[in-house]
Amino acid sequence: MKDVHGIISEFDEYQGHKIQKLSLTNANGVTLSLLTLGSTIYEIKVPSKKGTHNIVLNYYHSKDYLANPFYVCMAIGRTAGRIMNGQIVLDGQTTQLPQNEGTTTLHGGPTGFNSQIWRGKIISTAEGDAIEMSHLQKDDGYPGELQVKIIYTLSSDDIVGIKYNATSTADTVFNPTQHVYFNLGIDDTITRQVLKVNAAQIQELDNNKIPTGKQISVGHTPFDFQQPTSLGKAIAGMSDTAEKGFDDIFAVKPDDDNLIAKLVDPETDTSVGIESDRNGLVMFTANSFTKDEMNLIRTNGVGQPYEGIALEPQTLAKAGSARDFSAIELKKGEEKSYIIKYHLRYEK
Ligand code: GAL
């Protein structure tokens, strides 16, 4: 018998388009929901002593997702992170991309994956239903038309799977991720949660937060999360920086459990282990979340710093040069796939 069931419902309207919500529920009562706007993870609900409990940030309406620069739980592409001067160089040829953060192109530019309405359907797999989001990404300034498919699964043992798959009509770049902000607990912020990141180094960033190509050892700094570390204490260690928290790129490797990172809420005994085939993880502790323009459900229509933590697996620029795009190149006609898995545990 199939253990995972999918349903589609109407969520709301965005700029005259109907936005759908697609949900998967397994026999343990875990639910994963997506919105067709931005291929956004809307909810991950886990059983709790009080019923169920949503462990990701979300908003009341579709329009709230694009009302601020925080990309809450949305699909990111074609390229996660920052591209200096919006210029990519492939085989000696420079392409100027649209810039959406001063001179920088951030998270795929102004018409990235997150701003698109995706085609969502429930598909049937051996283990049960899954969600397929597909989209033809074009006219965004990047070379080639990119046919993208993202398959979201939920297993009977509580693993959320995300698989990105793309092909392009010209040589291009592809470095997608999902900008999920977790808050596993019942508090308004993540400061009482504990994080492990299997990274001995972070990337040095310039004043525009663009990697310089140098790596910095995390030893004896607040960036050392190699053992489970209190986020509140680590954030306090960043109080004399402009950011007052983390917005950094970690060079990660899978640990003995095959995870690159693990976030735990000791109070509710809830955790998420992150599995990924990528060598980078951006950690953003929502330092600049504002009160206004953030109609978040968790805090009844306002936002606040540290309300969630974004953990975004992605591919790093080649060591030694942030201007070398070969690590994320997708050749014309080639097919590339990446996976992210969230291993969920919750109070029983
Ligand atoms: C992160 C990025 C942050 C911020 C955030 C979205 O990936 O590193 O600087 O832009 O996305 O608000």
Side-chain angles (χ1 to χ4, degrees):
M1 208 192 78
K2 286 194 175 176
D3 198 28
V4 182
H5 292 276
I7 51 162
I8 302 188
S9 59
E10 298 295 328
F11 184 66
D12 65 0
E13 279 200 15
Y14 177 69
Q15 294 184 340
H17 301 279
K18 284 202 159 70
I19 303 301
Q20 292 175 316
K21 183 171 109 172
L22 296 92
S23 302
L24 302 175
T25 300
N26 70 12
N28 304 329
V30 173
T31 297
L32 165 73
S33 300
L34 268 290
L35 298 181
T36 50
L37 175 67
S39 194
T40 298
I41 292 190
Y42 176 70
E43 262 175 356
I44 301 177
K45 279 204 220 163
V46 297
S48 72
K49 286 192 181 128
K50 287 189 194 135
T52 56
H53 171 66
N54 175 25
I55 60 166
V56 302
L57 298 189
N58 60 2
Y59 293 111
Y60 289 97
H61 309 295
S62 287
K63 66 174 167 30
D64 302 329
Y65 283 88
L66 294 165
N68 58 63
F70 296 116
Y71 298 84
V72 168
C73 297
M74 307 187 98
I76 303 291
R78 306 181 188 197
T79 48
R82 294 184 164 84
I83 295 176
M84 191 197 286
N85 298 327
Q87 286 176 354
I88 51 170
V89 188
L90 290 173
D91 303 322
Q93 276 224 326
T94 301
T95 303
Q96 179 66 57
L97 305 174
Q99 295 134 307
N100 57 336
E101 190 190 62
T103 56
T104 301
T105 298
L106 172 66
H107 291 336
T111 57
F113 289 178
N114 69 301
S115 67
Q116 307 292 325
I117 298 174
W118 292 62
R119 196 152 62 88
K121 60 180 185 182
I122 303 286
I123 58 170
S124 193
T125 73
E127 209 183 344
D129 291 343
I131 296 168
E132 178 189 290
M133 293 286 191
S134 57
H135 177 65
L136 181 66
Q137 180 74 12
K138 54 180 188 175
D139 306 327
D140 59 355
Y142 285 76
E145 295 192 350
L146 191 76
Q147 183 64 57
V148 200
K149 211 185 252 184
I150 316 180
I151 308 280
Y152 298 85
T153 52
L154 173 65
S155 73
S156 52
D157 56 350
D158 304 328
I159 301 171
V160 171
I162 309 174
K163 187 174 180 195
Y164 302 86
N165 183 282
T167 51
S168 168
T169 57
D171 292 357
T172 191
V173 282
F174 183 50
N175 190 11
T177 192
Q178 199 80 28
H179 207 294
V180 175
Y181 290 86
F182 292 99
N183 183 337
L184 305 181
I186 48 177
D187 293 354
D188 289 352
T189 72
I190 43 79
T191 54
R192 292 205 290 170
Q193 294 169 35
V194 172
L195 180 68
K196 182 182 172 212
V197 179
N198 202 39
Q201 288 176 315
I202 55 165
Q203 297 214 310
E204 182 185 69
L205 304 177
D206 71 11
N207 290 340
N208 288 327
K209 294 189 189 168
I210 291 171
T212 63
K214 283 203 194 117
Q215 306 227 4
I216 305 171
S217 163
V218 299
H220 310 291
T221 74
F223 300 95
D224 190 351
F225 288 89
Q226 293 175 100
Q227 298 301 322
T229 301
S230 149
L231 278 167
K233 279 193 194 139
I235 289 168
M238 299 290 283
S239 59
D240 57 358
T241 64
E243 194 68 43
K244 305 215 177 326
F246 295 91
D247 184 5
D248 289 283
I249 310 177
F250 291 73
V252 289
K253 288 197 181 99
D255 67 8
D256 294 342
D257 298 324
N258 204 27
L259 302 177
I260 56 165
K262 186 173 182 180
L263 179 67
V264 180
D265 178 51
E267 203 188 337
T268 59
D269 208 11
T270 305
S271 68
V272 56
I274 301 182
E275 189 188 324
S276 151
D277 48 8
R278 320 286 274 287
N279 60 358
L281 181 75
V282 169
M283 186 217 296
F284 175 53
T285 45
N287 321 312
S288 45
F289 267 25
T290 49
K291 186 162 172 289
D292 298 330
E293 314 300 341
M294 296 214 70
N295 198 13
L296 290 161
I297 295 177
R298 174 173 285 265
T299 38
N300 302 316
V302 292
Q304 65 183 82
Y306 321 121
E307 183 156 350
I309 178 171
L311 295 165
E312 313 153 44
Q314 55 203 260
T315 304
L316 300 179
K318 271 261 172 79
S321 170
R323 311 294 299 146
D324 181 339
F325 294 89
S326 57
I328 59 167
E329 184 165 4
L330 175 69
K331 291 275 189 198
K332 174 181 174 178
E334 181 195 3
E335 188 171 335
K336 260 201 183 173
S337 299
Y338 294 111
I339 59 114
I340 299 173
K341 287 185 181 175
Y342 303 134
H343 296 249
L344 310 176
R345 292 282 175 275
Y346 42 86
E347 60 184 355
K348 292 245 165 73

